[in-house]
Amino acid sequence: MKKYFAFLLTAVFFHASAAHVTLAAPEETGHGGDIIYTKPVKGVLFSHANHVEAVGLSCDSCHDTIFPMEARAVQKNKDFTMASLYKGKYCGACHDGSMAFASNTQCARCHIGVKGFERLQKKSK
Amino acid sequence: MFKIENLKKESLGKLPLLERREFLKMGFVVTGVFAGGSILSLVSNAEKVFASAGEFAEKYPYKPHYSMVIRQNLCIDCERCLEACRTTNEVPDYGYRTAILEKHVPEAVGQKTEFIPVLCMQCNDPPCVRACPTKASYKDEVNGIIRIEKKKCIGCKVCMVACPYNARYFNNETRAIDKCDFCFETRLSKGEKLTACSAVCPTGARTFGDISDPSSEVYRMVHQLQKRVWVIRAEAGTKPNVFYMKS
C-alpha cells in the first residue's frame, strides 16, 4: 500500500513538473507568452501568463478591441504613450486604479527596463 | 617634519565627527547637513541656525549651487540618460559617468523592482579631492562641481578608491580619470541649463538646478515636509549634492 502511494506521489509530481514545462512554451499555453515592448521606451513587459492564468482574463477581454492579435503592433502607433494610457487607451483601459493598479503608479512593475529586457533575452536563448 | 600622528586621518570611520567639527568651524550651513536623516531634522536644523528659510538658502556656499534631485520611483531603466551621457561626454563603452542600479525585493507586494540612478554626488566634502596627490581632482570654487584637470592626472586611481559612490573610471584614451561633472564642460559652460541626462529623461526622474535659489524646483523638492528626502551613504559624511526621494 505504502509503495502504491509513493508511486502515486511521484507520478503526480512528474505530471505537475511536466505541466509546468508546457506552460513555459507559449505555443502550447494558448496565450501569447511574454510580450516586451521597445517603443517608445525600451523594456516594457506584458505577461500573458499573469493576465490569463493568474488573473483569469479571456482572449476577448483585450483582443481584437484594445489590442490587435499581432504582438507589438501597437508600438507603431504614435499615441502608444503613457499619456494615452491615462486617458483610458491601451493598458489604461483596465489599469485605471479601480479595475487594476493605475498606470501612473508602480512604474517598474511593467517597465522592466533595459536590464530586465536583456535578462529575458538571455533566458530565452 | 611629517610625523604620522600629526597627519589627518583619512579613514571613513573618522569622517563624520571630523566633518562636523569642520562644519562648525566654517560657520555656515551646507547642503549635506539636512540630508543625514529625515527631512524633519533638516527643518529643525535650519530653524535652529537661521530665522527663516530664505536666510538659510543664502548660506549655500556656491552660486549657482548645482544639485540634482532623483525621484527614484520614476526611473524605468530606459537608459536614455546613459545613452545621452555617452554621446554628450564621449564616454567609452567600458566606462560610465552615471549608472542605474537595480534593487529586487521578491517578497514585496505589487512592484518588486526598483531602479536607482547614480552619478557623482558632487559632495561638499569630497574624499576624492582630499585623496588626489596632484590636485587634478578639485572642487570648483564657483559652482561646487567636482572636476578634473586632465593634464594633472597621473592615473594613480587613488580617487577611485576614495570615492564611496564608485563614481569614477579610468579613461584609456585621455589617460586620465573621468567622472560626471554635471555636464559642465559639454553643456553648462556653453549656456545650457540642464545636464544631458536630466534633459533627456522621459519621466522627469532627474531634476537638475540651483539649490541656492529658493524659486528653483530642486530647492522646493528638498525643502518640504511631505516627502522624505535622503542621500546615499550619508554615514560617509561627504555631504552629497544629489538627493533622493519618491514622488
Side-chain angles (χ1 to χ4, degrees):
Chain A
M1 198 60 182
K2 259 186 185 171
K3 262 187 184 171
Y4 174 73
F5 271 117
F7 173 75
L8 193 71
L9 269 176
T10 35
V12 166
F13 176 75
F14 274 112
H15 182 76
S17 56
H20 185 74
V21 169
T22 49
L23 284 182
E27 56 279 358
E28 289 169 40
T29 54
H31 64 62
D34 286 343
I35 307 292
I36 307 170
Y37 294 98
T38 52
K39 279 172 191 168
V41 291
K42 268 182 211 159
V44 183
L45 172 69
F46 173 83
S47 162
H48 272 100
N50 260 351
H51 289 82
V52 178
E53 288 160 23
V55 182
L57 297 173
S58 61
C59 306
D60 60 12
S61 306
C62 307
H63 301 298
D64 270 318
T65 47
I66 306 167
F67 289 96
M69 279 293 188
E70 188 197 336
R72 286 175 293 271
V74 286
Q75 269 193 178
K76 294 168 197 151
N77 300 354
K78 270 193 182 154
D79 71 338
F80 188 53
T81 60
M82 290 308 294
S84 299
L85 265 56
Y86 303 154
K87 286 177 199 148
K89 277 190 166 181
Y90 304 114
C91 317
C94 298
H95 286 277
D96 56 0
S98 57
M99 240 197 286
F101 72 89
S103 44
N104 63 350
T105 61
Q106 304 193 43
C107 314
R109 196 161 166 177
C110 310
H111 287 267
I112 59 170
V114 175
K115 287 173 184 67
F117 177 54
E118 280 167 4
R119 206 160 36 233
L120 277 186
Q121 274 190 324
K122 245 183 227 168
K123 224 194 244 175
S124 65
K125 264 175 200 168
Chain B
M1 268 270 294
F2 285 105
K3 280 194 174 168
I4 194 130
E5 54 268 26
N6 295 339
L7 294 175
K8 266 191 178 180
K9 286 187 176 140
E10 299 279 353
S11 69
L12 274 184
K14 288 283 172 191
L15 266 175
L17 240 183
L18 185 70
E19 303 303 323
R20 215 166 295 148
R21 219 179 300 144
E22 297 270 314
F23 154 67
L24 287 170
K25 262 192 253 163
M26 281 191 285
F28 50 67
V29 174
V30 282
T31 47
V33 169
F34 48 85
S38 73
I39 202 73
L40 282 167
S41 66
L42 147 115
V43 168
S44 56
N45 273 346
E47 283 174 349
K48 262 181 227 162
V49 186
F50 302 105
S52 69
E55 198 180 335
F56 178 63
E58 282 166 24
K59 304 295 176 183
Y60 280 105
Y62 303 99
K63 192 73 199 172
H65 194 122
Y66 287 123
S67 174
M68 190 178 282
V69 180
I70 292 174
R71 281 178 290 179
Q72 197 172 297
N73 60 319
L74 294 183
C75 181
I76 53 172
D77 186 41
C78 66
E79 301 197 357
R80 282 190 194 172
C81 51
L82 307 195
E83 286 164 29
C85 179
R86 281 184 193 286
T87 50
T88 308
N89 301 301
E90 291 175 14
V91 179
D93 288 342
Y94 56 82
Y96 60 90
R97 282 180 171 213
T98 178
I100 292 173
L101 308 179
E102 203 179 18
K103 183 176 160 192
H104 293 290
V105 186
E107 63 276 17
V109 177
Q111 184 180 324
K112 294 175 183 4
T113 307
E114 218 173 16
F115 296 113
I116 308 166
V118 288
L119 66 165
C120 171
M121 305 285 155
Q122 317 292 350
C123 309
N124 278 349
D125 248 314
C128 53
V129 169
R130 191 160 50 225
C132 180
T134 64
K135 295 186 178 168
S137 272
Y138 65 101
K139 190 158 175 73
D140 194 299
E141 284 176 7
V142 178
N143 53 41
I145 292 174
I146 312 291
R147 299 179 59 197
I148 292 170
E149 203 176 332
K150 280 182 202 147
K151 61 173 191 250
K152 279 191 189 168
C153 178
I154 54 171
C156 69
K157 302 184 183 174
V158 172
C159 57
M160 285 174 63
V161 183
C163 175
Y165 304 101
N166 200 18
R168 296 166 162 255
Y169 74 97
F170 184 73
N171 189 309
N172 291 332
E173 283 71 44
T174 60
R175 307 301 296 164
I177 295 290
D178 189 38
K179 65 175 285 294
C180 167
D181 64 348
F182 272 164
C183 284
F184 185 79
E185 273 170 44
T186 48
R187 290 172 64 94
L188 299 185
S189 62
K190 291 170 183 164
E192 297 269 1
K193 294 277 177 249
L194 295 176
T195 63
C197 56
S198 58
V200 81
C201 181
T203 69
R206 295 171 184 250
T207 310
F208 180 75
D210 174 8
I211 200 166
S212 70
D213 172 9
S215 67
S216 72
E217 211 176 328
V218 282
Y219 180 93
R220 278 184 280 132
M221 284 166 114
V222 171
H223 295 252
Q224 44 77 36
L225 288 173
Q226 287 77 31
K227 300 265 164 67
R228 201 171 81 84
V229 179
W230 68 92
V231 296
I232 295 183
R233 288 199 169 165
E235 73 282 4
T238 60
K239 302 193 181 81
N241 282 305
V242 176
F243 299 90
Y244 288 79
M245 65 184 292
K246 294 187 181 184
S247 65

